[in-house]
Amino acid sequence: MEGRTGSRRANALKGELSAGASTTCRAPAETVYDLLADLRSHLIWAGHRHKGNTRLVVVDAPEGPAAVGTEFRTEGTDPMGRFTDASVVTEADRPRVLEFVTEAHLETKRGRGVDWTNVHRYELTPQPSGGCRIAYRVRITRISELPGMLAMFKVPGLSAVALKAAEGVAKRGVRNLARLAEERIGAVAG
């Protein structure tokens, strides 16, 4: 069906959007992967430790490491309103890749409902000097409509500004993940 993804509402995007960030981490890829696969830990590094007004506030996930097919729910806030998300893990290859697809619903501060489909991918690469490189990318494949600030995605120059802001949020999340992994190895080594 043209302009539609699954059973959700139409896609207002002209093409896929993408933002991401990467950083190095002193912790080995296995430690970082284990944090990513512990979906409940996302509430720490993408929630409690996330400065700014975009963060997770609830994570409802099963205990234990995530595997392909693991489903979980999250809630979060950002400048536009409040998100409620349903996600499923689509790739889980320890210690290299964790990917999940999120069907998100944004309730804007003005009461509009907007549905999104996002693909979150974390790639971990061991470094010769030890530790690893964490690369995160989010692909926004669908947004049902573009009200308010989301209208920026319709304008090429403004779309780049909006994606730059998304990359700032991604950078904070990746840094928080790296710090938490480093703390974990410090606790083991200490």
Side-chain angles (χ1 to χ4, degrees):
M1 210 182 285
E2 185 74 27
R4 295 180 78 71
T5 302
S7 62
R8 296 287 189 133
R9 294 169 20 196
N11 192 353
L13 295 176
K14 299 235 184 283
E16 187 175 285
L17 302 172
S18 180
S22 64
T23 193
T24 55
C25 178
R26 292 187 309 267
E30 292 81 4
T31 301
V32 176
Y33 183 90
D34 291 347
L35 276 172
L36 284 168
D38 175 5
L39 299 170
R40 293 175 176 198
S41 81
H42 294 215
L43 187 57
I44 299 168
W45 56 268
H48 303 307
R49 293 187 178 191
H50 216 285
K51 292 189 167 116
N53 51 10
T54 301
R55 69 178 69 224
L56 290 178
V57 295
V58 173
V59 174
D60 180 13
E63 287 188 44
V68 172
T70 299
E71 295 181 11
F72 62 103
R73 295 189 172 281
T74 56
E75 294 178 23
T77 62
D78 81 4
M80 295 176 287
R82 187 165 182 90
F83 279 95
T84 54
D85 303 339
S87 300
V88 63
V89 176
T90 54
E91 190 171 349
D93 182 12
R94 185 178 190 267
R96 296 188 314 246
V97 176
L98 186 79
E99 180 182 271
F100 56 92
V101 175
T102 300
E103 293 295 336
H105 179 77
L106 166 67
E107 189 69 30
T108 69
K109 291 178 180 176
R110 295 182 182 251
R112 302 269 307 259
V114 181
D115 296 313
W116 304 56
T117 302
N118 301 316
V119 180
H120 303 270
R121 184 174 181 86
Y122 294 86
E123 295 182 356
L124 309 173
T125 308
Q127 298 296 288
S129 59
C132 68
R133 180 157 199 76
I134 304 168
Y136 166 72
R137 174 116 346 246
V138 60
R139 292 181 7 246
I140 305 165
T141 62
R142 181 185 61 84
I143 302 177
S144 61
E145 60 179 300
L146 301 171
M149 291 185 345
L150 293 176
M152 291 173 66
F153 289 126
K154 295 180 195 175
V155 181
L158 293 179
S159 180
V161 170
L163 289 174
K164 195 71 160 167
E167 287 183 349
V169 172
K171 187 179 287 189
R172 282 192 301 276
V174 168
R175 285 182 183 159
N176 288 342
L177 173 61
R179 278 191 219 112
L180 186 57
E182 291 168 354
E183 289 171 16
R184 296 274 166 105
I185 64 164
V188 172

